[in-house]
Amino acid sequence: MAEILFVMTGASYWTLKDGHRHPTGYWAEEFVAPYSAFSDAGHNITVATPGAVVPVVDSMSLRPSMAGGEESALQQEAVIEQADELRRPIAVKEADLDRYDAVYYPGGHGPMEDLSHDADSGLLLRRALASGRPLGIVCHAPAALLATRDENNDTPFSGYRLTGFTNDEEAGVGFAPDAKWLLEDELRALRTDYSRGPVWEPYTVVDRNLHTGQNPASAGPLAKELLKAL
């Protein structure tokens, strides 16, 4: 039995370049698929957010058109309703990495708002990478890597092979023209070895203990990779 730390956004909106606050949060599938996989395997999960804020699900992610149909949307909603860990998060600042066997970051547009500059999350990511523990990050959650930069704009993730939500996918959901910045551009600017697969198709990359997934469809396959690593 392993202890797994889910580091999640505490944001309920994403500020676009015109100042509009678009309602968001975490993406349902990116929480539900790994949560279910880890729980079914007998592992324990702790949720951490900035300031111990109870995370908010992006309502768009539970629309049948976005969730793979009405039945899938209802199943995901049921898992979220039953996941007590979501109602009692700890603060990222209080998370003791030594207590956990793996760390996982689900996405959604929320991390673009808060985890992209959260110093406590940035420190946790640096320590998790150095520890050798399995570290999983999916979709928009690699935005949190921006907070690992030091005063010289260097990050220990430079040179790592990874993936994340693509510019084409952001354009596909209609936000690319309105975003202050795009995740793919920023990950490339970090001097990571960024790669991508076809839009909306599952695509994961493993480099040492870093496991990343491109989009919501990659969350389930990423969880399987993390289970192998555990």
Side-chain angles (χ1 to χ4, degrees):
M1 181 181 295
E3 298 289 335
I4 302 174
L5 181 68
F6 275 42
V7 181
M8 301 180 65
T9 179
S12 59
Y13 61 85
W14 176 34
T15 306
L16 303 178
K17 64 184 178 184
D18 65 356
H20 173 70
R21 291 183 171 184
H22 172 71
T24 188
Y26 67 88
W27 197 259
E29 183 178 5
E30 297 170 30
F31 170 80
V32 170
Y35 177 87
S36 299
F38 298 144
S39 298
D40 290 348
H43 303 312
N44 295 322
I45 294 164
T46 298
V47 170
T49 64
V53 173
V54 173
V56 176
V57 65
D58 189 324
S59 60
M60 185 182 296
S61 68
L62 288 173
R63 293 178 184 174
S65 60
M66 293 289 189
E70 185 173 353
E71 183 178 354
S72 177
L74 290 172
Q75 290 174 345
Q76 291 182 49
E77 187 173 13
V79 172
I80 290 169
E81 280 292 320
Q82 295 168 11
D84 289 338
E85 296 89 344
L86 287 170
R87 259 71 70 187
R88 45 184 175 83
I90 65 172
V92 175
K93 187 175 183 178
E94 304 301 324
D96 179 2
L97 185 62
D98 290 338
R99 292 185 54 197
Y100 302 100
D101 302 292
V103 178
Y104 170 67
Y105 277 66
H109 281 110
M112 303 277 279
E113 183 72 24
D114 59 356
L115 297 181
S116 61
H117 58 81
D118 187 276
D120 296 322
S121 171
L123 180 59
L124 179 68
L125 282 167
R126 294 173 70 96
R127 289 176 172 170
L129 189 70
S131 74
R133 291 174 174 82
L135 171 59
I137 315 175
V138 72
C139 198
H140 284 92
L145 301 186
L146 303 182
T148 67
R149 294 174 292 191
D150 62 18
E151 61 276 7
N152 298 316
N153 217 35
D154 294 326
T155 169
F157 289 86
S158 291
Y160 271 76
R161 292 184 294 106
L162 53 73
T163 189
F165 205 64
T166 68
N167 291 353
D168 289 340
E169 287 167 322
E170 201 69 84
V173 293
F175 289 115
D178 301 318
K180 292 181 180 179
W181 46 270
L182 298 176
L183 180 60
E184 178 181 337
D185 293 343
E186 293 298 318
L187 293 177
R188 292 185 186 278
L190 286 181
R191 301 189 301 278
T192 63
D193 185 3
Y194 177 90
S195 64
R196 49 163 292 179
V199 295
W200 312 122
E201 294 294 326
Y203 181 75
T204 61
V205 176
V206 179
D207 187 351
R208 287 157 279 185
N209 62 316
L210 178 63
H211 303 247
T212 53
Q214 178 177 308
N215 48 33
S218 305
L222 187 68
K224 292 180 180 179
E225 294 293 342
L226 290 170
L227 284 171
K228 292 177 186 176
L230 285 169

